[in-house]
């Protein structure tokens, strides 16, 4: 499955994953041996490859001809792509898509080779040993399309409301494979059309902007997530030759004083942080597993998910759009020290994943906020320049959403003047025994009185405790399910009743695998703070969270 809706009626598109490919590890005990494997998948789910760090070569054949556009939605974590043995693309990062165009391919059977590499190295500044797993594999769909001399790469729709009218600002990008190709671009939304007549396109990216106004469309909201389709069509001499269908919602996110407003109404976030992680699938969760996670998240009474700590699968975002679940989506980074941020590869890798995240996920109405650099060195002068650059980049791409980052730099953070919303991760009663109310009040008064975050909305972006599924203790000893439930009871009661807090994200939805190289000290080499375990079995705290989300 590529998306939960059809993206083309004209452009030929097929998914190359969803079947068996040939997998050959290039290092380790099975080096050179080839196995038939399903894709999308992570090799850690293949027998004998649970700990494999190295390169894995995936190969498949397909029938094709003409101008081919090959798009990988996610390869973990560094990819090299070849067609018939010739390298056509490379990409760093597991969590954003990338594509390649190969022109005038001869008709016949062709071989696509994707080499994935999940090794840590000095050239990998974002995928580093961490409190989550960097898997290996073709972890998201691979798509093959046929394009003519030009095609529609994306159509961004920015909704805004005023005077009883909804405005849809359109910004479309058309890529021309050669210069001077004429074309007419037509944008259709809800029975209205916008037409752009380009007598000649320049080779590369061509941008078209315009507005459509609507008096009788229905807004998107968590309660009533009404989605609209935007259809872009390229015509020449009256005949269509390319198209792109996407979805969006008429909704507006604004910040007013200490409040986050959705369509003018204050939002109270009751959310969970979620990793894309599963003992059977690694980070390559199939549609059914994603849908099942969201069913549990809704059952808990949550209205939001934080994509900790990277851009998520488009299928997940499509479902959040349909279900009305608000999403804090963030770029890829977790807990990078100043030294790690000074890696010469960091700035470009952080820039690229941020640019790709915003460009590729722009239309999802469920995304109400962009986050960056979770718990990185925001307490350092150099770190602050990195935060500034990334916020500037996002604002150059999208002025319709507030920005934030989750800090953990207690009374030393230098960056609260940069985001629209101040967010902080706290673990009272887990990492330290401070009463929650006391810790929260101390933190909040520091933010209000000694930082440039004063007066901004405030979110607790992480709070939680560990609990081992099945470890029960009448004394509620640490790591027992009773301890976790008791701790979350106090944590959530305090945060959700804290007047100046716009909401909370529980850390975390499910137990996850962590990389052995980071810290084998965690029990089971897992992060055990899930409300459900890795098999999605509810722990005692599941009902605690459910009750508290219903109470507030
Ligand atoms: C941090 C981090 C999370 C997780 C959490 C924990 O806040 O952002 O990824 O590691 O701590 O479990 O301690």
């Amino acid at each position: 499955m590529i998306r939960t809706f059809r993206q083309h009626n004209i452009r030929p598109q097929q998914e190359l994953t969803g079947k068996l490919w040939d997998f050959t590890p290039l290092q380790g005990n099975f080096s050179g041996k080839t196995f038939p494997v399903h894709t999308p998948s992570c090799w850690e789910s293949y027998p004998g490859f649970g700990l494999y760090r190295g390169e894995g070569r995936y190969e498949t054949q397909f029938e094709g001809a003409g101008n081919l556009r090959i798009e990988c939605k996610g390869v973990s974590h560094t990819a090299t792509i070849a067609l018939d043995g010739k390298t056509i693309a490379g990409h760093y990062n597991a969590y954003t898509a990338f594509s390649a165009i190969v022109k005038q391919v001869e008709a016949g059977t062709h071989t696509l080779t994707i080499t994935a590499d999940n090794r840590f190295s000095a050239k990998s500044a974002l995928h580093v040993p961490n409190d989550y797993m960097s898997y290996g594999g073709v972890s998201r769909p691979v798509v093959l399309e046929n394009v003519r001399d030009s095609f529609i790469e994306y159509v961004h729709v920015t909704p805004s409301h005023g005077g009883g009218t909804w405005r849809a600002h359109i910004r479309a990008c058309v890529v021309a494979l050669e210069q001077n190709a004429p074309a007419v671009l037509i944008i259709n939304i809800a029975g209205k059309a916008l037409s752009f007549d380009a007598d000649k396109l320049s080779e590369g990216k061509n941008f078209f902007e315009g507005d459509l106004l609507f008096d009788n469309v229905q807004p998107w909201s968590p309660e009533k997530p009404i989605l609209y389709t935007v259809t872009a069509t390229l015509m020449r001499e009256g005949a269509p030759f390319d198209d792109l269908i996407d979805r969006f919602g008429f909704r507006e996110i604004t910040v007013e004083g200490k409040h986050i407003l959705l369509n003018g109404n204050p939002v109270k976030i009751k959310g969970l942080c979620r990793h894309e992680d599963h003992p059977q699938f690694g980070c390559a969760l199939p549609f059914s597993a994603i849908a099942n996670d969201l069913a549990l998240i809704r059952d808990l009474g949550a209205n939001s998910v934080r994509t900790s700590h990277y851009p998520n699968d488009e299928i997940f975002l499509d479902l959040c759009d349909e279900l009305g679940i608000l999403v804090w989506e963030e770029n890829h980074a977790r807990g990078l020290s100043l030294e790690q941020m000074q890696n010469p590869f960091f700035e470009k890798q952080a820039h690229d994943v941020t640019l790709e995240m915003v460009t590729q996920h722009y239309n999802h109405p469920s995304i109400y906020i962009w986050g960056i650099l979770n718990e990185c060195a925001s307490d350092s002068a150099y770190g602050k320049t990195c935060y500034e650059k990334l916020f500037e980049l996002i604002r150059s791409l999208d002025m319709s959403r507030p920005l934030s980052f989750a800090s953990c730099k207690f009374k030393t953070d230098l960056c609260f003047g940069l985001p629209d919303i101040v967010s902080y991760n706290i673990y009272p009663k887990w990492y330290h025994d401070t009463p929650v109310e006391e810790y929260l009040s101390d933190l909040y008064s520091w933010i209000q009185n000694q930082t440039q975050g004063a007066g901004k909305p405030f979110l607790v972006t992480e709070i939680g405790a560990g609990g081992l599924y099945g470890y029960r203790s009448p004394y509620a000893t640490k790591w027992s399910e009773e301890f976790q439930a008791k701790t979350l009871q106090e944590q959530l009661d305090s945060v959700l009743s804290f007047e100046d807090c716009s909401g909370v994200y529980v850390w975390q939805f499910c137990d996850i695998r962590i990389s052995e190289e980071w810290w084998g000290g965690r029990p089971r080499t897992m992060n055990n703070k899930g409300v459900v375990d890795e098999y999605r079995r509810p722990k005692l705290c599941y009902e605690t969270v459910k009750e508290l989300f219903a109470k507030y």
Side-chain angles (χ1 to χ4, degrees):
M1 172 184 265
I2 303 170
R3 300 292 295 271
T4 63
F5 59 95
R6 186 183 176 88
Q7 286 185 292
H8 302 283
N9 290 319
I10 296 167
R11 187 189 308 175
Q13 179 188 66
Q14 59 176 303
E15 182 178 356
L16 292 182
T17 34
K19 61 179 185 176
L20 294 178
W21 288 40
D22 287 336
F23 169 74
T24 307
L26 304 188
Q27 290 89 25
N29 302 338
F30 300 107
S31 174
K33 191 170 174 2
T34 297
F35 304 79
V37 299
H38 61 289
T39 57
S41 62
C42 297
W43 59 58
E44 287 82 359
S45 63
Y46 310 158
F49 287 89
L51 289 172
Y52 177 56
R53 277 210 184 281
E55 295 169 288
R57 187 177 63 223
Y58 290 80
E59 270 193 358
T60 191
Q61 278 69 42
F62 65 87
E63 299 298 316
N67 296 335
L68 301 183
R69 179 173 184 263
I70 296 165
E71 182 181 24
C72 296
K73 297 291 187 178
V75 177
S76 194
H77 64 60
T78 300
T80 307
I81 318 293
L83 183 65
D84 299 330
K86 183 169 176 291
T87 298
I88 58 173
H91 185 262
Y92 174 82
N93 211 309
Y95 306 115
T96 45
F98 62 100
S99 61
I101 304 267
V102 184
K103 295 197 278 191
Q104 295 159 8
V105 172
E106 286 288 313
T109 303
H110 298 280
T111 298
L112 178 65
T113 306
I114 299 177
T115 303
D117 185 349
N118 75 341
R119 290 173 295 186
F120 299 125
S121 78
K123 291 185 176 176
S124 176
L126 304 179
H127 285 280
V128 297
N130 223 321
D131 197 18
Y132 61 90
M133 183 68 185
S134 287
Y135 289 96
V138 176
S139 47
R140 294 181 186 167
V142 177
V143 184
L144 174 69
E145 299 176 345
N146 266 97
V147 294
R148 300 278 294 284
D149 54 54
S150 36
F151 66 94
I152 303 154
E153 187 167 60
Y154 60 77
V155 183
H156 287 168
V157 183
T158 308
S160 58
H161 190 255
T165 299
W166 277 102
R167 174 189 302 271
H169 180 74
I170 311 294
R171 187 167 193 269
C173 175
V174 173
V175 173
L177 304 184
E178 56 202 47
Q179 64 182 12
N180 299 333
V184 175
L185 174 66
I186 297 174
I187 306 289
N188 286 92
I189 296 175
K192 289 198 171 186
L194 203 50
S195 176
F196 303 92
D197 195 337
D199 55 4
K200 58 180 180 182
L201 295 171
S202 313
E203 187 173 351
K205 293 182 188 287
N206 299 261
F207 293 97
F208 301 89
E209 294 204 52
D211 293 303
L212 284 171
L213 299 179
F214 299 89
D215 296 326
N216 59 353
V217 290
Q218 295 186 62
W220 184 95
S221 71
E223 299 72 28
K224 210 172 169 194
I226 306 287
L227 291 169
Y228 284 83
T229 295
V230 52
T231 302
T233 309
L234 272 180
M235 312 275 285
R236 186 171 292 143
E237 293 160 5
F241 66 90
D242 188 63
D243 69 340
L244 176 63
I245 300 165
D246 203 347
R247 294 188 318 194
F248 72 99
F250 286 101
R251 67 103 184 87
E252 206 174 25
I253 302 285
T254 51
V255 166
E256 220 167 80
K258 295 186 175 182
H259 298 290
I260 304 167
L261 305 180
L262 187 147
N263 296 339
N265 304 312
V267 172
K268 179 89 169 181
I269 295 294
K270 295 182 277 189
L272 294 132
C273 295
R274 173 179 176 270
H275 268 288
E276 292 179 328
D277 190 282
H278 195 285
Q280 200 179 342
F281 310 114
C283 65
L285 278 75
F287 177 79
S288 58
I290 296 173
N292 185 55
D293 280 1
L294 287 167
L296 288 167
I297 287 163
R298 283 161 51 86
D299 181 61
L300 281 161
N303 62 4
S304 186
V305 176
R306 176 172 172 238
T307 68
S308 49
H309 299 288
Y310 36 76
N312 270 204
D313 192 319
E314 284 175 315
I315 292 167
F316 170 81
L317 298 171
D318 286 343
L319 288 174
C320 288
D321 293 340
E322 294 172 21
L323 296 170
I325 293 176
L326 294 169
V327 175
W328 161 309
E329 186 164 65
E330 62 184 27
N331 73 352
H332 178 209
R334 180 210 167 272
L336 299 178
S337 65
L338 173 58
E339 185 191 3
Q340 287 174 311
M341 290 178 78
Q342 288 168 333
N343 176 319
F345 291 88
F346 169 79
E347 287 206 38
K348 178 174 187 325
Q349 290 173 356
H351 171 276
D352 291 352
V353 71
T354 306
L355 173 63
E356 290 162 359
M357 172 180 77
V358 177
T359 306
Q360 294 167 15
H361 296 167
Y362 188 94
N363 285 338
H364 289 282
S366 56
I367 299 175
Y368 76 100
I369 189 169
W370 299 114
I372 61 169
L373 303 181
N374 172 74
E375 293 196 354
C376 295
S378 54
D379 55 350
S380 70
Y382 170 70
K384 184 174 180 181
T385 65
C386 295
Y387 279 83
E388 279 169 338
K389 284 178 189 169
L390 289 172
F391 281 134
E392 192 180 327
L393 169 63
I394 298 177
R395 290 192 173 109
S396 71
L397 300 166
D398 180 5
M399 284 300 287
S400 72
R401 292 178 173 94
L403 309 183
S404 190
F405 73 96
S407 172
C408 67
K409 307 304 181 193
F410 191 62
K411 302 194 178 182
T412 58
D413 202 295
L414 303 174
C415 295
F416 287 156
L418 303 175
D420 301 295
I421 294 168
V422 172
S423 304
Y424 207 88
N425 299 338
I426 64 174
Y427 287 91
K429 310 302 283 181
W430 176 254
Y431 284 124
H432 48 86
D433 203 25
T434 323
V436 184
E437 193 74 50
E438 176 189 324
Y439 186 80
L440 194 53
S441 303
D442 183 18
L443 171 69
Y444 192 71
S445 81
W446 164 66
I447 292 169
Q448 297 310 307
N449 301 314
Q450 297 176 56
T451 79
Q452 294 178 299
K456 296 181 179 179
F458 170 66
L459 282 172
V460 171
T461 22
E462 289 179 30
I463 194 165
L468 298 173
Y469 181 83
Y471 172 34
R472 303 297 300 276
S473 157
Y475 321 111
T477 44
K478 197 158 189 177
W479 291 107
S480 67
E481 290 192 43
E482 287 83 356
F483 180 91
Q484 184 187 29
K486 178 169 68 76
T487 305
L488 270 165
Q489 174 80 41
E490 181 185 343
Q491 291 172 333
L492 290 179
D493 243 338
S494 299
V495 172
L496 288 167
S497 57
F498 193 83
E499 189 195 349
D500 289 318
C501 183
S502 292
V504 65
Y505 286 94
V506 172
W507 184 272
Q508 62 176 323
F509 167 66
C510 67
D511 292 350
I512 60 161
R513 183 174 172 182
I514 67 174
S515 52
E516 286 74 13
E517 301 87 343
W518 181 69
W519 180 26
R522 284 208 189 288
R524 311 191 300 150
T525 320
M526 302 272 292
N527 184 305
N528 299 284
K529 300 187 182 72
V531 171
V532 298
D533 78 348
E534 63 273 29
Y535 295 100
R536 277 60 177 173
R537 297 178 297 186
K539 301 177 189 174
L540 269 182
C541 68
Y542 184 98
E543 290 305 325
T544 308
V545 173
K546 188 169 178 176
E547 278 159 29
L548 287 162
F549 278 176
K551 176 180 172 187
Y552 289 96

